[in-house]
Every structure is written in structure tokens, then in C-alpha cells.
Amino acid sequence: MARRDAATAQHSKRPRSRPLKGEETEVKHIVETQNLSPAQARELVRRYGNDWRKIEEAAKTYKGD
């Protein structure tokens, strides 16, 4: 079991090339609610996962730019 957990942990540290299931739905929601581009929204989802508080804080900094 420990070996499997280690492999999973290593895998999760790699950058993803494809969105996770449901990620595009989250991206669409962020685009609509935060008025960001899809690329900016994808970056936030990849960086913060489903931590909506952090995503909203980061989206405010994008709007300020």
C-alpha cells in the first residue's frame, strides 16, 4: 500500500496537460462570475484546485492588472 501511495503522490506533482473531470465546468463558472479569460481561469483552477476562496482572491488581482 505504501508503494502505491508514493506513486500517487509523485504523479500528482507533475503538471497536468489535460483538465480533470469537471474542471472545464469550474473554469466556465469562474469566467462567468469573475469576468476573466478562460486561460486565466484555467490557470487559477490548476494552481488552487477547488479552493474557491483562494481563486476569488487571485481573480481580484487579475482584474486589477
Side-chain angles (χ1 to χ4, degrees):
M1 289 283 182
R3 187 175 220 185
R4 185 176 194 200
D5 294 336
T8 304
Q10 278 183 339
H11 180 70
S12 65
K13 292 180 184 179
R14 295 182 196 152
R16 296 189 315 249
S17 60
R18 293 184 298 166
L20 295 174
K21 182 178 180 181
E23 186 174 282
E24 282 302 312
T25 304
E26 293 171 353
V27 167
K28 184 177 176 183
H29 175 75
I30 294 167
V31 167
E32 292 172 354
T33 60
Q34 300 296 329
N35 197 26
L36 298 177
S37 72
Q40 290 171 321
R42 263 187 221 94
E43 180 183 340
L44 292 177
V45 170
R46 287 185 178 134
R47 184 177 295 166
Y48 300 111
N50 63 351
D51 189 340
W52 290 101
R53 190 187 59 163
K54 287 184 180 180
I55 289 173
E56 288 178 5
E57 288 174 11
K60 289 176 187 175
T61 64
Y62 278 126
K63 288 180 188 178
D65 291 344

